[in-house]
Amino acid sequence: MSFPNEAMQFYFDLRADNSREFWAANKHRYERHVREPLTEVMAGLAEEFGPAKIYRPYRDLRYSEDKTPYKTHQGAYVGTALACGWYVEVNADEMSAGGGFYHADAKGLAAYRQAVDDHRRGTELQAILDRLVADGWQVVGEQLKRSPRGYPADHERVNLLRHKWLYVVHEIDPNAPSLAAVTEQVAERWRAARPLVAWASDVLAGAH
């Protein structure tokens, strides 16, 4: 086995026993099969995309009803603007890469909706997403149940207006023969997502 398969197996086991006892006995697996190889992959992408933030494995339990102490995935993120950038994740089921915008503040979200409402910018975004979907990408992100206040329910891009986050994801082959091959797959995914990342970064950066 190799990365990300060993990482996926670690998270499969952690999902079954998310305890401090399991973590203490298996932390070496996390370091060797998750954090170290992902750090190497991100280092290989830094020249083209920029330095990555690799998230801590510990959950913030202060505001959570679920008191399990450890995240059941490992993520890394390269920011391009406030709340925008590229993302990669490995969990028990898959490794995936993508990009878009996450956790936009009120100003950023208002700017996003204004851009979607604008005919030129809104149709540009829709075309970007249509091309990605045709190439096997998934469009995901938290959405309102109805159109946001101030926008009609029959707006031609109401599904985009409802998004509070908007990003796309595509799976990475878990059977890649080397870390170099994983790195190149992530690079290919991020290049494909670049038009969306650029669109979102321009819109949200202009809001601040």
Side-chain angles (χ1 to χ4, degrees):
M1 295 178 70
S2 60
F3 185 78
N5 276 310
E6 292 279 10
M8 293 165 65
Q9 182 61 53
F10 170 79
Y11 281 113
F12 180 85
D13 296 339
L14 178 63
R15 191 165 63 185
D17 183 6
N18 195 324
S19 68
R20 289 179 173 82
E21 292 76 17
F22 174 88
W23 187 264
N26 291 273
K27 187 177 179 181
H28 66 284
R29 292 174 59 197
Y30 168 76
E31 295 291 348
R32 180 178 178 184
H33 298 307
V34 180
R35 195 169 189 90
E36 290 177 8
L38 185 60
T39 298
E40 186 173 336
V41 169
M42 294 300 100
L45 297 164
E47 183 174 357
E48 180 174 353
F49 297 97
K53 174 181 179 180
I54 298 180
Y55 291 103
R56 288 163 51 85
Y58 312 106
R59 296 183 64 244
D60 185 348
L61 304 181
R62 292 174 296 175
Y63 311 110
S64 174
E65 294 183 5
D66 178 0
K67 298 303 181 182
T68 53
Y70 305 104
K71 297 175 183 175
T72 53
H73 65 276
Q74 177 65 61
Y77 173 73
V78 176
T80 56
L82 187 64
C84 297
W86 287 283
Y87 184 71
V88 64
E89 178 180 309
V90 60
N91 57 47
D93 301 309
E94 65 176 2
M95 182 176 181
S96 61
F101 78 87
Y102 314 75
H103 299 292
D105 62 13
K107 287 184 178 180
L109 196 54
Y112 163 75
R113 289 171 179 161
Q114 289 170 9
V116 171
D117 185 45
D118 178 79
H119 178 73
R120 180 183 66 82
R121 302 217 69 179
T123 54
E124 179 185 17
L125 174 60
Q126 187 65 67
I128 290 169
L129 296 173
D130 288 346
R131 288 194 296 270
L132 288 167
V133 169
D135 287 338
W137 290 75
Q138 289 182 286
V139 179
V140 290
E142 185 179 349
Q143 291 180 278
L144 299 171
K145 293 182 178 180
R146 300 179 179 83
S147 60
R149 183 177 300 176
Y151 295 94
D154 61 351
H155 193 287
E156 61 182 326
R157 289 178 294 280
V158 67
N159 287 339
L160 292 179
L161 286 170
R162 289 170 49 222
H163 273 273
K164 297 173 68 177
W165 314 346
L166 177 68
Y167 53 100
V168 293
V169 293
H170 200 298
E171 189 174 1
I172 301 296
D173 181 4
N175 298 309
S178 65
L179 276 183
V182 173
T183 302
E184 183 53 33
Q185 280 195 57
V186 176
E188 289 173 357
R189 301 290 189 262
W190 283 3
R191 290 172 193 137
R194 183 174 270 128
L196 173 60
V197 173
W199 188 97
S201 298
D202 181 59
V203 169
L204 271 72
H208 297 87

